[in-house]
PDB file of all heavy atoms in Angstrom:
ATOM      1  N   ARG A1240       0.825  -1.218   0.000  1.00  0.00           N
ATOM      2  CA  ARG A1240       0.000   0.000   0.000  1.00  0.00           C
ATOM      3  C   ARG A1240       0.859   1.268   0.000  1.00  0.00           C
ATOM      4  O   ARG A1240       0.527   2.248  -0.663  1.00  0.00           O
ATOM      5  CB  ARG A1240      -0.931   0.008   1.207  1.00  0.00           C
ATOM      6  CG  ARG A1240      -2.059  -0.984   1.078  1.00  0.00           C
ATOM      7  CD  ARG A1240      -2.919  -0.999   2.311  1.00  0.00           C
ATOM      8  NE  ARG A1240      -4.105  -1.826   2.118  1.00  0.00           N
ATOM      9  CZ  ARG A1240      -4.857  -2.256   3.114  1.00  0.00           C
ATOM     10  NH1 ARG A1240      -4.555  -1.944   4.374  1.00  0.00           N
ATOM     11  NH2 ARG A1240      -5.914  -2.995   2.858  1.00  0.00           N
ATOM     12  N   GLN A1241       1.948   1.272   0.726  1.00  0.00           N
ATOM     13  CA  GLN A1241       2.772   2.479   0.855  1.00  0.00           C
ATOM     14  C   GLN A1241       3.676   2.729  -0.345  1.00  0.00           C
ATOM     15  O   GLN A1241       3.961   3.871  -0.691  1.00  0.00           O
ATOM     16  CB  GLN A1241       3.622   2.401   2.123  1.00  0.00           C
ATOM     17  CG  GLN A1241       2.811   2.484   3.380  1.00  0.00           C
ATOM     18  CD  GLN A1241       3.627   2.106   4.618  1.00  0.00           C
ATOM     19  OE1 GLN A1241       4.826   1.899   4.549  1.00  0.00           O
ATOM     20  NE2 GLN A1241       2.948   2.016   5.751  1.00  0.00           N
ATOM     21  N   HIS A1242       4.149   1.657  -0.974  1.00  0.00           N
ATOM     22  CA  HIS A1242       5.140   1.815  -2.039  1.00  0.00           C
ATOM     23  C   HIS A1242       4.617   1.462  -3.422  1.00  0.00           C
ATOM     24  O   HIS A1242       5.335   1.625  -4.398  1.00  0.00           O
ATOM     25  CB  HIS A1242       6.379   0.964  -1.732  1.00  0.00           C
ATOM     26  CG  HIS A1242       7.034   1.352  -0.458  1.00  0.00           C
ATOM     27  ND1 HIS A1242       7.856   2.450  -0.338  1.00  0.00           N
ATOM     28  CD2 HIS A1242       6.969   0.805   0.785  1.00  0.00           C
ATOM     29  CE1 HIS A1242       8.279   2.565   0.911  1.00  0.00           C
ATOM     30  NE2 HIS A1242       7.753   1.579   1.615  1.00  0.00           N
ATOM     31  N   ALA A1243       3.404   0.942  -3.495  1.00  0.00           N
ATOM     32  CA  ALA A1243       2.802   0.543  -4.775  1.00  0.00           C
ATOM     33  C   ALA A1243       3.757  -0.321  -5.594  1.00  0.00           C
ATOM     34  O   ALA A1243       3.832  -0.203  -6.811  1.00  0.00           O
ATOM     35  CB  ALA A1243       2.346   1.765  -5.564  1.00  0.00           C
ATOM     36  N   SER A1244       4.511  -1.163  -4.913  1.00  0.00           N
ATOM     37  CA  SER A1244       5.427  -2.073  -5.592  1.00  0.00           C
ATOM     38  C   SER A1244       4.615  -3.137  -6.333  1.00  0.00           C
ATOM     39  O   SER A1244       3.610  -3.617  -5.829  1.00  0.00           O
ATOM     40  CB  SER A1244       6.337  -2.732  -4.556  1.00  0.00           C
ATOM     41  OG  SER A1244       7.292  -3.522  -5.197  1.00  0.00           O
ATOM     42  N   ALA A1245       5.069  -3.513  -7.522  1.00  0.00           N
ATOM     43  CA  ALA A1245       4.353  -4.518  -8.311  1.00  0.00           C
ATOM     44  C   ALA A1245       4.342  -5.872  -7.605  1.00  0.00           C
ATOM     45  O   ALA A1245       3.370  -6.618  -7.679  1.00  0.00           O
ATOM     46  CB  ALA A1245       4.985  -4.646  -9.690  1.00  0.00           C
ATOM     47  N   ILE A1246       5.447  -6.182  -6.916  1.00  0.00           N
ATOM     48  CA  ILE A1246       5.568  -7.427  -6.162  1.00  0.00           C
ATOM     49  C   ILE A1246       6.223  -7.103  -4.820  1.00  0.00           C
ATOM     50  O   ILE A1246       7.201  -6.369  -4.774  1.00  0.00           O
ATOM     51  CB  ILE A1246       6.434  -8.465  -6.903  1.00  0.00           C
ATOM     52  CG1 ILE A1246       5.851  -8.802  -8.271  1.00  0.00           C
ATOM     53  CG2 ILE A1246       6.604  -9.737  -6.058  1.00  0.00           C
ATOM     54  CD1 ILE A1246       6.763  -9.672  -9.147  1.00  0.00           C
ATOM     55  N   VAL A1247       5.676  -7.663  -3.761  1.00  0.00           N
ATOM     56  CA  VAL A1247       6.321  -7.600  -2.451  1.00  0.00           C
ATOM     57  C   VAL A1247       6.652  -9.036  -2.090  1.00  0.00           C
ATOM     58  O   VAL A1247       5.771  -9.895  -2.033  1.00  0.00           O
ATOM     59  CB  VAL A1247       5.427  -6.972  -1.370  1.00  0.00           C
ATOM     60  CG1 VAL A1247       6.152  -6.953  -0.026  1.00  0.00           C
ATOM     61  CG2 VAL A1247       4.998  -5.562  -1.775  1.00  0.00           C
ATOM     62  N   SER A1248       7.929  -9.299  -1.887  1.00  0.00           N
ATOM     63  CA  SER A1248       8.403 -10.639  -1.601  1.00  0.00           C
ATOM     64  C   SER A1248       9.026 -10.679  -0.214  1.00  0.00           C
ATOM     65  O   SER A1248       9.354  -9.638   0.350  1.00  0.00           O
ATOM     66  CB  SER A1248       9.443 -11.037  -2.656  1.00  0.00           C
ATOM     67  OG  SER A1248       9.913 -12.342  -2.425  1.00  0.00           O
ATOM     68  N   VAL A1249       9.192 -11.869   0.301  1.00  0.00           N
ATOM     69  CA  VAL A1249       9.711 -12.032   1.660  1.00  0.00           C
ATOM     70  C   VAL A1249      10.932 -12.935   1.650  1.00  0.00           C
ATOM     71  O   VAL A1249      10.971 -13.953   0.954  1.00  0.00           O
ATOM     72  CB  VAL A1249       8.618 -12.623   2.579  1.00  0.00           C
ATOM     73  CG1 VAL A1249       9.189 -13.039   3.910  1.00  0.00           C
ATOM     74  CG2 VAL A1249       7.503 -11.612   2.772  1.00  0.00           C
ATOM     75  N   ARG A1250      11.895 -12.549   2.451  1.00  0.00           N
ATOM     76  CA  ARG A1250      13.102 -13.345   2.661  1.00  0.00           C
ATOM     77  C   ARG A1250      13.227 -13.564   4.159  1.00  0.00           C
ATOM     78  O   ARG A1250      13.168 -12.632   4.939  1.00  0.00           O
ATOM     79  CB  ARG A1250      14.304 -12.597   2.116  1.00  0.00           C
ATOM     80  CG  ARG A1250      15.606 -13.332   2.207  1.00  0.00           C
ATOM     81  CD  ARG A1250      16.711 -12.502   1.580  1.00  0.00           C
ATOM     82  NE  ARG A1250      16.558 -12.453   0.143  1.00  0.00           N
ATOM     83  CZ  ARG A1250      17.204 -13.262  -0.700  1.00  0.00           C
ATOM     84  NH1 ARG A1250      18.050 -14.143  -0.248  1.00  0.00           N
ATOM     85  NH2 ARG A1250      17.012 -13.173  -1.983  1.00  0.00           N
ATOM     86  N   ASN A1251      13.368 -14.821   4.546  1.00  0.00           N
ATOM     87  CA  ASN A1251      13.623 -15.175   5.939  1.00  0.00           C
ATOM     88  C   ASN A1251      15.079 -15.587   6.016  1.00  0.00           C
ATOM     89  O   ASN A1251      15.437 -16.668   5.550  1.00  0.00           O
ATOM     90  CB  ASN A1251      12.723 -16.315   6.401  1.00  0.00           C
ATOM     91  CG  ASN A1251      11.276 -15.898   6.459  1.00  0.00           C
ATOM     92  OD1 ASN A1251      10.572 -15.963   5.457  1.00  0.00           O
ATOM     93  ND2 ASN A1251      10.840 -15.441   7.603  1.00  0.00           N
ATOM     94  N   GLY A1252      15.922 -14.712   6.567  1.00  0.00           N
ATOM     95  CA  GLY A1252      17.348 -14.982   6.515  1.00  0.00           C
ATOM     96  C   GLY A1252      17.766 -14.963   5.058  1.00  0.00           C
ATOM     97  O   GLY A1252      17.565 -13.981   4.362  1.00  0.00           O
ATOM     98  N   GLU A1253      18.289 -16.078   4.584  1.00  0.00           N
ATOM     99  CA  GLU A1253      18.715 -16.178   3.179  1.00  0.00           C
ATOM    100  C   GLU A1253      17.688 -16.878   2.298  1.00  0.00           C
ATOM    101  O   GLU A1253      17.919 -17.076   1.102  1.00  0.00           O
ATOM    102  CB  GLU A1253      20.057 -16.922   3.097  1.00  0.00           C
ATOM    103  CG  GLU A1253      21.201 -16.152   3.738  1.00  0.00           C
ATOM    104  CD  GLU A1253      21.380 -14.776   3.107  1.00  0.00           C
ATOM    105  OE1 GLU A1253      21.401 -14.663   1.870  1.00  0.00           O
ATOM    106  OE2 GLU A1253      21.485 -13.798   3.875  1.00  0.00           O
ATOM    107  N   VAL A1254      16.546 -17.254   2.857  1.00  0.00           N
ATOM    108  CA  VAL A1254      15.569 -18.051   2.128  1.00  0.00           C
ATOM    109  C   VAL A1254      14.382 -17.193   1.686  1.00  0.00           C
ATOM    110  O   VAL A1254      13.737 -16.538   2.502  1.00  0.00           O
ATOM    111  CB  VAL A1254      15.055 -19.218   3.008  1.00  0.00           C
ATOM    112  CG1 VAL A1254      14.019 -20.045   2.265  1.00  0.00           C
ATOM    113  CG2 VAL A1254      16.219 -20.089   3.457  1.00  0.00           C
ATOM    114  N   VAL A1255      14.115 -17.206   0.386  1.00  0.00           N
ATOM    115  CA  VAL A1255      12.913 -16.563  -0.138  1.00  0.00           C
ATOM    116  C   VAL A1255      11.773 -17.547   0.073  1.00  0.00           C
ATOM    117  O   VAL A1255      11.863 -18.708  -0.321  1.00  0.00           O
ATOM    118  CB  VAL A1255      13.074 -16.232  -1.639  1.00  0.00           C
ATOM    119  CG1 VAL A1255      11.782 -15.699  -2.218  1.00  0.00           C
ATOM    120  CG2 VAL A1255      14.218 -15.249  -1.834  1.00  0.00           C
ATOM    121  N   ALA A1256      10.721 -17.078   0.737  1.00  0.00           N
ATOM    122  CA  ALA A1256       9.625 -17.987   1.085  1.00  0.00           C
ATOM    123  C   ALA A1256       8.294 -17.271   0.940  1.00  0.00           C
ATOM    124  O   ALA A1256       8.221 -16.047   1.057  1.00  0.00           O
ATOM    125  CB  ALA A1256       9.803 -18.476   2.517  1.00  0.00           C
ATOM    126  N   PRO A1257       7.238 -18.042   0.683  1.00  0.00           N
ATOM    127  CA  PRO A1257       5.925 -17.430   0.501  1.00  0.00           C
ATOM    128  C   PRO A1257       5.503 -16.525   1.649  1.00  0.00           C
ATOM    129  O   PRO A1257       5.853 -16.728   2.807  1.00  0.00           O
ATOM    130  CB  PRO A1257       4.990 -18.621   0.388  1.00  0.00           C
ATOM    131  CG  PRO A1257       5.844 -19.687  -0.179  1.00  0.00           C
ATOM    132  CD  PRO A1257       7.187 -19.469   0.459  1.00  0.00           C
ATOM    133  N   ARG A1258       4.780 -15.666   1.250  1.00  0.00           N
ATOM    134  CA  ARG A1258       4.133 -14.453   1.663  1.00  0.00           C
ATOM    135  C   ARG A1258       4.544 -13.475   0.590  1.00  0.00           C
ATOM    136  O   ARG A1258       5.293 -12.554   0.822  1.00  0.00           O
ATOM    137  CB  ARG A1258       4.588 -13.937   3.032  1.00  0.00           C
ATOM    138  CG  ARG A1258       3.802 -14.500   4.158  1.00  0.00           C
ATOM    139  CD  ARG A1258       4.500 -14.245   5.472  1.00  0.00           C
ATOM    140  NE  ARG A1258       5.633 -15.154   5.564  1.00  0.00           N
ATOM    141  CZ  ARG A1258       6.828 -14.804   5.978  1.00  0.00           C
ATOM    142  NH1 ARG A1258       7.087 -13.594   6.405  1.00  0.00           N
ATOM    143  NH2 ARG A1258       7.806 -15.677   5.999  1.00  0.00           N
ATOM    144  N   HIS A1259       4.153 -13.754  -0.609  1.00  0.00           N
ATOM    145  CA  HIS A1259       4.465 -12.886  -1.732  1.00  0.00           C
ATOM    146  C   HIS A1259       3.173 -12.235  -2.190  1.00  0.00           C
ATOM    147  O   HIS A1259       2.161 -12.913  -2.347  1.00  0.00           O
ATOM    148  CB  HIS A1259       5.060 -13.675  -2.904  1.00  0.00           C
ATOM    149  CG  HIS A1259       6.234 -14.525  -2.538  1.00  0.00           C
ATOM    150  ND1 HIS A1259       7.385 -14.016  -1.959  1.00  0.00           N
ATOM    151  CD2 HIS A1259       6.436 -15.852  -2.663  1.00  0.00           C
ATOM    152  CE1 HIS A1259       8.243 -14.999  -1.757  1.00  0.00           C
ATOM    153  NE2 HIS A1259       7.683 -16.123  -2.165  1.00  0.00           N
ATOM    154  N   LEU A1260       3.241 -10.940  -2.428  1.00  0.00           N
ATOM    155  CA  LEU A1260       2.076 -10.220  -2.905  1.00  0.00           C
ATOM    156  C   LEU A1260       2.348  -9.753  -4.330  1.00  0.00           C
ATOM    157  O   LEU A1260       3.396  -9.164  -4.602  1.00  0.00           O
ATOM    158  CB  LEU A1260       1.789  -9.028  -1.985  1.00  0.00           C
ATOM    159  CG  LEU A1260       0.470  -8.323  -2.215  1.00  0.00           C
ATOM    160  CD1 LEU A1260      -0.077  -7.796  -0.894  1.00  0.00           C
ATOM    161  CD2 LEU A1260       0.580  -7.207  -3.227  1.00  0.00           C
ATOM    162  N   PHE A1261       1.399 -10.049  -5.217  1.00  0.00           N
ATOM    163  CA  PHE A1261       1.546  -9.734  -6.635  1.00  0.00           C
ATOM    164  C   PHE A1261       0.391  -8.865  -7.104  1.00  0.00           C
ATOM    165  O   PHE A1261      -0.770  -9.136  -6.765  1.00  0.00           O
ATOM    166  CB  PHE A1261       1.518 -11.020  -7.480  1.00  0.00           C
ATOM    167  CG  PHE A1261       2.640 -11.963  -7.202  1.00  0.00           C
ATOM    168  CD1 PHE A1261       2.519 -12.943  -6.233  1.00  0.00           C
ATOM    169  CD2 PHE A1261       3.816 -11.897  -7.932  1.00  0.00           C
ATOM    170  CE1 PHE A1261       3.544 -13.842  -5.983  1.00  0.00           C
ATOM    171  CE2 PHE A1261       4.859 -12.787  -7.691  1.00  0.00           C
ATOM    172  CZ  PHE A1261       4.718 -13.758  -6.721  1.00  0.00           C
ATOM    173  N   GLN A1262       0.705  -7.859  -7.918  1.00  0.00           N
ATOM    174  CA  GLN A1262      -0.355  -7.101  -8.566  1.00  0.00           C
ATOM    175  C   GLN A1262      -1.034  -7.990  -9.604  1.00  0.00           C
ATOM    176  O   GLN A1262      -0.465  -8.983 -10.082  1.00  0.00           O
ATOM    177  CB  GLN A1262       0.206  -5.856  -9.254  1.00  0.00           C
ATOM    178  CG  GLN A1262       0.549  -4.756  -8.292  1.00  0.00           C
ATOM    179  CD  GLN A1262       1.020  -3.495  -9.007  1.00  0.00           C
ATOM    180  OE1 GLN A1262       1.493  -3.527 -10.144  1.00  0.00           O
ATOM    181  NE2 GLN A1262       0.909  -2.381  -8.306  1.00  0.00           N
ATOM    182  N   ARG A1263      -2.229  -7.619  -9.979  1.00  0.00           N
ATOM    183  CA  ARG A1263      -3.060  -8.381 -10.913  1.00  0.00           C
ATOM    184  C   ARG A1263      -2.330  -8.744 -12.216  1.00  0.00           C
ATOM    185  O   ARG A1263      -2.532  -9.831 -12.751  1.00  0.00           O
ATOM    186  CB  ARG A1263      -4.312  -7.576 -11.240  1.00  0.00           C
ATOM    187  CG  ARG A1263      -5.107  -8.126 -12.414  1.00  0.00           C
ATOM    188  CD  ARG A1263      -6.378  -7.379 -12.659  1.00  0.00           C
ATOM    189  NE  ARG A1263      -7.425  -7.798 -11.765  1.00  0.00           N
ATOM    190  CZ  ARG A1263      -8.016  -8.990 -11.799  1.00  0.00           C
ATOM    191  NH1 ARG A1263      -7.635  -9.882 -12.669  1.00  0.00           N
ATOM    192  NH2 ARG A1263      -8.963  -9.301 -10.962  1.00  0.00           N
ATOM    193  N   GLU A1264      -1.472  -7.890 -12.695  1.00  0.00           N
ATOM    194  CA  GLU A1264      -0.798  -8.149 -13.978  1.00  0.00           C
ATOM    195  C   GLU A1264      -0.003  -9.460 -13.980  1.00  0.00           C
ATOM    196  O   GLU A1264       0.308  -9.987 -15.041  1.00  0.00           O
ATOM    197  CB  GLU A1264       0.115  -6.985 -14.354  1.00  0.00           C
ATOM    198  CG  GLU A1264       1.341  -6.861 -13.471  1.00  0.00           C
ATOM    199  CD  GLU A1264       2.215  -5.678 -13.833  1.00  0.00           C
ATOM    200  OE1 GLU A1264       3.086  -5.836 -14.714  1.00  0.00           O
ATOM    201  OE2 GLU A1264       2.014  -4.615 -13.235  1.00  0.00           O
ATOM    202  N   PHE A1265       0.302 -10.003 -12.804  1.00  0.00           N
ATOM    203  CA  PHE A1265       1.074 -11.245 -12.710  1.00  0.00           C
ATOM    204  C   PHE A1265       0.198 -12.485 -12.544  1.00  0.00           C
ATOM    205  O   PHE A1265       0.711 -13.597 -12.517  1.00  0.00           O
ATOM    206  CB  PHE A1265       2.069 -11.158 -11.542  1.00  0.00           C
ATOM    207  CG  PHE A1265       3.040 -10.031 -11.703  1.00  0.00           C
ATOM    208  CD1 PHE A1265       2.853  -8.841 -11.008  1.00  0.00           C
ATOM    209  CD2 PHE A1265       4.107 -10.121 -12.581  1.00  0.00           C
ATOM    210  CE1 PHE A1265       3.729  -7.782 -11.164  1.00  0.00           C
ATOM    211  CE2 PHE A1265       4.987  -9.073 -12.748  1.00  0.00           C
ATOM    212  CZ  PHE A1265       4.793  -7.885 -12.038  1.00  0.00           C
ATOM    213  N   PHE A1266      -1.110 -12.315 -12.436  1.00  0.00           N
ATOM    214  CA  PHE A1266      -1.992 -13.457 -12.181  1.00  0.00           C
ATOM    215  C   PHE A1266      -1.900 -14.512 -13.280  1.00  0.00           C
ATOM    216  O   PHE A1266      -1.915 -15.704 -13.000  1.00  0.00           O
ATOM    217  CB  PHE A1266      -3.440 -13.009 -12.000  1.00  0.00           C
ATOM    218  CG  PHE A1266      -3.715 -12.248 -10.719  1.00  0.00           C
ATOM    219  CD1 PHE A1266      -2.714 -11.981  -9.784  1.00  0.00           C
ATOM    220  CD2 PHE A1266      -4.988 -11.786 -10.460  1.00  0.00           C
ATOM    221  CE1 PHE A1266      -2.982 -11.272  -8.616  1.00  0.00           C
ATOM    222  CE2 PHE A1266      -5.273 -11.084  -9.290  1.00  0.00           C
ATOM    223  CZ  PHE A1266      -4.273 -10.833  -8.377  1.00  0.00           C
ATOM    224  N   VAL A1267      -1.808 -14.080 -14.539  1.00  0.00           N
ATOM    225  CA  VAL A1267      -1.710 -15.053 -15.642  1.00  0.00           C
ATOM    226  C   VAL A1267      -0.451 -15.896 -15.495  1.00  0.00           C
ATOM    227  O   VAL A1267      -0.492 -17.126 -15.595  1.00  0.00           O
ATOM    228  CB  VAL A1267      -1.760 -14.345 -17.013  1.00  0.00           C
ATOM    229  CG1 VAL A1267      -1.435 -15.328 -18.143  1.00  0.00           C
ATOM    230  CG2 VAL A1267      -3.134 -13.721 -17.230  1.00  0.00           C
ATOM    231  N   GLU A1268       0.678 -15.247 -15.214  1.00  0.00           N
ATOM    232  CA  GLU A1268       1.941 -15.984 -15.012  1.00  0.00           C
ATOM    233  C   GLU A1268       1.834 -16.947 -13.834  1.00  0.00           C
ATOM    234  O   GLU A1268       2.290 -18.084 -13.906  1.00  0.00           O
ATOM    235  CB  GLU A1268       3.101 -15.017 -14.735  1.00  0.00           C
ATOM    236  CG  GLU A1268       3.749 -14.453 -15.955  1.00  0.00           C
ATOM    237  CD  GLU A1268       4.946 -13.601 -15.576  1.00  0.00           C
ATOM    238  OE1 GLU A1268       6.030 -14.188 -15.317  1.00  0.00           O
ATOM    239  OE2 GLU A1268       4.797 -12.363 -15.538  1.00  0.00           O
ATOM    240  N   LEU A1269       1.242 -16.476 -12.749  1.00  0.00           N
ATOM    241  CA  LEU A1269       1.087 -17.329 -11.563  1.00  0.00           C
ATOM    242  C   LEU A1269       0.198 -18.525 -11.864  1.00  0.00           C
ATOM    243  O   LEU A1269       0.432 -19.626 -11.365  1.00  0.00           O
ATOM    244  CB  LEU A1269       0.512 -16.518 -10.400  1.00  0.00           C
ATOM    245  CG  LEU A1269       1.418 -15.416  -9.864  1.00  0.00           C
ATOM    246  CD1 LEU A1269       0.641 -14.475  -8.951  1.00  0.00           C
ATOM    247  CD2 LEU A1269       2.620 -16.010  -9.136  1.00  0.00           C
ATOM    248  N   GLY A1270      -0.793 -18.332 -12.689  1.00  0.00           N
ATOM    249  CA  GLY A1270      -1.704 -19.409 -13.054  1.00  0.00           C
ATOM    250  C   GLY A1270      -1.083 -20.453 -13.961  1.00  0.00           C
ATOM    251  O   GLY A1270      -1.685 -21.498 -14.209  1.00  0.00           O
ATOM    252  N   GLN A1271       0.120 -20.206 -14.454  1.00  0.00           N
ATOM    253  CA  GLN A1271       0.804 -21.155 -15.332  1.00  0.00           C
ATOM    254  C   GLN A1271       1.936 -21.895 -14.638  1.00  0.00           C
ATOM    255  O   GLN A1271       2.644 -22.682 -15.251  1.00  0.00           O
ATOM    256  CB  GLN A1271       1.352 -20.416 -16.561  1.00  0.00           C
ATOM    257  CG  GLN A1271       0.251 -19.818 -17.401  1.00  0.00           C
ATOM    258  CD  GLN A1271       0.776 -18.900 -18.488  1.00  0.00           C
ATOM    259  OE1 GLN A1271       1.949 -18.556 -18.531  1.00  0.00           O
ATOM    260  NE2 GLN A1271      -0.114 -18.502 -19.371  1.00  0.00           N
ATOM    261  N   LEU A1272       2.104 -21.653 -13.336  1.00  0.00           N
ATOM    262  CA  LEU A1272       3.205 -22.268 -12.601  1.00  0.00           C
ATOM    263  C   LEU A1272       2.988 -23.762 -12.389  1.00  0.00           C
ATOM    264  O   LEU A1272       1.868 -24.223 -12.235  1.00  0.00           O
ATOM    265  CB  LEU A1272       3.355 -21.599 -11.233  1.00  0.00           C
ATOM    266  CG  LEU A1272       3.819 -20.148 -11.239  1.00  0.00           C
ATOM    267  CD1 LEU A1272       3.716 -19.557  -9.837  1.00  0.00           C
ATOM    268  CD2 LEU A1272       5.238 -20.051 -11.760  1.00  0.00           C
TER     269      LEU A1272
END
């Protein structure tokens, strides 16, 4: 909400792990995973 970033991702230490927020424009890509 504050930065209007297209994607907000999370890193726990050195590990990228879910709690990822994506704008609508990425839904098609996500639906093909």
Side-chain angles (χ1 to χ4, degrees):
R1240 287 177 173 164
Q1241 292 168 7
H1242 300 281
S1244 185
I1246 301 172
V1247 179
S1248 181
V1249 169
R1250 183 178 289 264
N1251 293 86
E1253 294 302 313
V1254 179
V1255 174
R1258 272 166 285 136
H1259 307 303
L1260 190 147
F1261 297 90
Q1262 284 184 337
R1263 168 176 279 291
E1264 70 182 273
F1265 300 101
F1266 290 0
V1267 171
E1268 275 184 81
L1269 294 167
Q1271 297 171 350
L1272 293 171

